[in-house]
Amino acid sequence: MKKVELFKENGFKDKGFSPLFAHESPYMKVVNFNFEPGQELPVHSHDIEGELVIAVLEGRGEFLSKDGALPAETGDILVSPIATPHGLRATTRMRVLVTIAPPI
C-alpha cells in the first residue's frame, strides 16, 4: 500500500497549474493538479484506448470539451474516454485528482 498526502505534498503556483504524480503503475496513473483562479489545462486528447476520471477535490471551475464547458465543483466527477477532447479551467482555487487507465 501507498499513502500520499496530496494537500501536504502539492501546493499552488502563481504561474501555471501545479501537478503531482501521486501514483503510476502498468495499470493506471493518478495525478493531482492544483489550479489558481483562471488557470487551465487546455482542451486536448490522446490518441489511445482508455479512460480518464477527473474528480474535483476542492473548489470550482469548468470541465472543458471541444463543444463548450460543464460546471465543475467539489465532489463532481467527469468520466470520459481519453480520446475525447477534455480540459479544465478553475474559477476559484481548485484541486483535482485525475486517474488515467491504462496510463499514458
Side-chain angles (χ1 to χ4, degrees):
M1 291 193 301
K2 175 182 178 180
K3 178 181 175 182
V4 179
E5 295 180 343
L6 297 177
F7 285 36
K8 289 183 182 178
E9 294 184 31
N10 194 20
F12 293 84
K13 295 180 183 176
D14 290 336
K15 295 183 179 184
F17 57 83
S18 180
L20 172 72
F21 292 88
H23 177 73
E24 189 167 3
S25 75
Y27 310 105
M28 69 178 176
K29 182 186 285 187
V30 180
V31 186
N32 164 232
F33 292 101
N34 292 344
F35 300 87
E36 290 286 6
Q39 293 177 344
E40 69 178 57
L41 181 62
V43 175
H44 65 286
S45 63
H46 307 274
D47 191 22
I48 61 169
E49 294 283 326
E51 292 185 311
L52 81 124
V53 176
I54 303 173
V56 180
L57 303 177
E58 178 180 74
R60 290 192 173 138
E62 298 173 309
F63 296 121
L64 305 176
S65 73
K66 66 178 182 166
D67 299 320
L70 294 170
E73 60 184 60
T74 302
D76 287 349
I77 295 174
L78 177 78
V79 179
S80 175
I82 200 157
T84 300
H86 56 278
L88 191 68
R89 179 182 306 119
T91 54
T92 69
R93 191 172 251 205
M94 187 178 198
R95 295 178 190 263
V96 300
L97 193 64
V98 178
T99 303
I100 302 166
I104 56 170

